Amino acid sequence: MIFSIIHDFENGFSNGILAAASQKKYSIVSLSRLTNKRILLGVTGGIAAYKAAEIIRRLQDAQAEVRVVMTRSATEFITPLTLQALSGNPVHLDLLDTDAEAAMGHIELAKWADVVLIAPASANFIARLANGHANDLLTTLCLATIASIAVAPAMNQAMWLNKQTQENCKKLQERKTGIFGPGSGTQACGDVGPGRMLEPLELVKLTANIFPNGLLDGIRLLITAGPTREAIDPVRYISNHSSGKMGFALAKAGVDAGAKTTLIAGPVELPTPARVERIDIVSAEQMHDASLELSAHCDIFIASAAVADYRPVAAAQQKIKKNSESQLIELVRNPDILADVAAQTSRPFCVGFAAETQDVIHYAQDKLQRKKLDMIIANDVSATDIGFNAEDNAVTVIWPDGQEAIEKTSKHQLAKLLIKKIALCYQNANS
Ligand code: PMT
């Protein structure tokens, strides 16, 4: 009996099944699962290669980042320049291309990908993949990657029905490689039967289904992190001990949960988490401007930054000389970023932090009400092993009708718990 192979990707690749081609399990899939995901599109030689252009577009519509690797024979059907222009990234062609390797080496590319989708996948490519070849860039990448791999077969019906091709696909399936399609119908050569590549949108839906449902799929998350610096003169400033670790950990946890995440960062020495957009600012006023502008386009705002409450009325133009025994610097109150975001008519779900050294819960509850927040995270910053510039933290999460203490743990672990809690409260508020 002849089967087309369609996988049930509801839980990743673990439940592969042989199914009749008409069974379209992917129809219920949300494309938002592709937000921020990195898709390496492999294009092999076949007439369906022209459809790679549309696959790129559809993946990008779903907010995925796309990089393209083409086999040499694919370039006979569509030019690398076209796919480069559409993907916005250089197209990779050869294993031994020094320019391409310098930009992003093939191992780096293999590590970069969340999913490798090969569409169209020719009979020749499927045979090479099934047999573990590494004789071009694409097969080598497939051997080097730990990402999920899926192929979208596209070939003449006789080639697809050939026992050898069927065995190759079975081998791939046993290794949890996804086989998307093929569809059936009239072929470019005039034959009728199975072997047509699935349509781009169907392939994109199947690709989305590889990813488990994230708690914040499709949500736009904005986070402030780190300290601000308020200039006294060209060489001196007022600031605090915030390292940005808490906010950066939240950004990583947010993006891992599927959120499109933007981080407004004060001056900190931390690398930007992958797939997070970062905006660097220095002063509270700059953080205020960026937050108000970006919060108009976000669903959840988390203010973890330690914003300086005051700034010098005017920063001296020249370095202040130490001529006198004392020096008065007049300070003026900075705008309250969080309160201003929460005061907007069309406002995001607002989460604040309260850094306190005494009566922590009491002061945090006061800030929750006064700033009209949806949630506040009370942070005792009197201890040196948690809070400012520490690796760990311990907090109490407070919302209008409840609270929950989270014991000391790493900021990364805490961030995951906080994102979970925030996602649940956000969903409740919007259900
Ligand atoms: O950066 P780390 O070293 O990892 O340390 C993490 C942290 C201790 C800085 C963090 O967990 C934390 O508690 N951040 C809040 C620090 C703070 O300034 O708290 P606050 O109680 O003064 O402010 C209350 C809330 O209003 C905060 O969400 C703050 O971001 C916000 N705020 C305060 C003043 C202001 N002008 N604008 C604001 O938006």
Side-chain angles (χ1 to χ4, degrees), residues 224 226 241-247 303-309 334-338 352-356 367 371 379 381 387-390 393 411:
T224 65
H241 295 295
S242 171
S243 62
K245 286 175 195 163
M246 190 68 248
S304 73
V307 185
D309 289 318
N334 268 325
D336 191 313
I337 300 166
L338 178 56
F353 272 74
E356 303 291 348
K367 280 178 188 168
K371 299 194 188 200
N379 204 167
V381 290
F388 282 98
N389 200 18
N393 211 354
K411 283 182 177 167

Side-chain angles (χ1 to χ4, degrees), residues 8-72:
D8 178 353
F9 286 105
E10 198 54 55
N11 294 304
F13 284 112
S14 53
N15 298 324
I17 52 161
L18 285 172
S22 58
Q23 243 178 290
K24 293 193 173 172
K25 294 235 171 208
Y26 42 83
S27 55
I28 48 161
V29 174
S30 161
L31 292 185
S32 64
R33 290 187 196 181
L34 285 168
T35 303
N36 291 330
K37 298 299 186 306
R38 295 164 162 182
I39 312 298
L40 187 71
L41 178 64
V43 184
T44 73
I47 188 68
Y50 79 94
K51 290 189 178 174
E54 179 153 9
I55 297 173
I56 294 171
R57 275 275 188 256
R58 298 285 81 86
L59 286 167
Q60 288 173 332
D61 287 348
Q63 312 277 319
E65 198 182 332
V66 187
R67 287 181 180 269
V68 180
V69 174
M70 297 175 79
T71 61
R72 274 287 158 199

